[in-house]
């Protein structure tokens, strides 16, 4: 059992910033990758950012140079710093993790947060 709880969304003017966070708890042996995706009304779900256990990062072209993903391994927590926000960034943002879990045996599985709304006004 792994649970992801996220927070930090909100309403901001274009050009402003927000910082979302995601914390994982439960049976966690290790986390291979952590990240965020988003979904806006009428649009396809988009992978926004990923950070792996060695610290390597990848970003969607639409957010490169504006968003930064980081993590605190000791706390099983990761963050998405969103700068220079644009109206087109408006979406529900979901965090996810590829987790090695299990009590008696280990297995890898993906887990998802409940989502946090980010709204950017023009």
């Amino acid at each position: 059992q792994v649970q992801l709880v996220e927070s930090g969304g909100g309403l901001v003017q274009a050009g402003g910033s927000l910082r979302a966070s995601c914390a994982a708890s439960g049976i966690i042996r290790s986390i291979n990758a952590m990240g965020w995706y988003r979904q806006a009304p009428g649009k396809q779900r988009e992978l926004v950012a990923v950070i792996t256990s060695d610290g390597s990062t990848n970003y969607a072209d639409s957010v490169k140079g504006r968003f930064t993903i980081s993590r605190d391994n000791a706390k099983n927590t990761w963050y998405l710093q969103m700068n220079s926000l644009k109206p087109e960034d408006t979406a529900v943002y979901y965090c996810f993790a590829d987790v090695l879990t299990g009590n008696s045996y280990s297995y890898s599985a993906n887990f998802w947060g409940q989502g946090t709304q980010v709204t950017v006004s023009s």
Side-chain angles (χ1 to χ4, degrees):
Q1 295 181 308
V2 176
Q3 184 175 353
L4 274 56
V5 179
E6 60 187 290
S7 61
L11 173 64
V12 66
Q13 292 280 321
S17 297
L18 288 171
R19 189 192 192 204
S21 63
C22 188
S25 61
I27 305 169
I28 300 171
R29 301 181 67 157
S30 64
I31 301 179
N32 183 60
M34 300 153 281
W36 300 80
Y37 71 92
R38 65 187 181 186
Q39 185 144 39
K43 295 184 178 180
Q44 183 175 296
R45 186 176 66 181
E46 179 183 27
L47 181 64
V48 176
V50 176
I51 185 166
T52 58
S53 59
D54 66 353
S56 298
T57 58
N58 293 97
Y59 298 92
D61 288 342
S62 58
V63 306
K64 284 181 179 178
R66 300 187 297 117
F67 289 13
T68 303
I69 187 169
S70 61
R71 53 151 169 61
D72 184 337
N73 288 335
K75 296 181 178 180
N76 288 327
T77 300
W78 56 106
Y79 309 91
L80 185 67
Q81 180 67 46
M82 298 172 278
N83 296 330
S84 301
L85 283 161
K86 304 174 181 179
E88 50 263 46
D89 294 319
T90 296
V92 178
Y93 285 68
Y94 299 89
C95 61
F96 71 90
D98 181 356
V99 178
L100 185 64
T101 186
N103 277 320
S104 300
Y105 63 93
S106 63
Y107 62 95
S108 182
N110 290 321
F111 296 89
W112 311 89
Q114 82 281 6
T116 186
Q117 177 70 47
V118 171
T119 302
V120 184
S121 62
S122 59

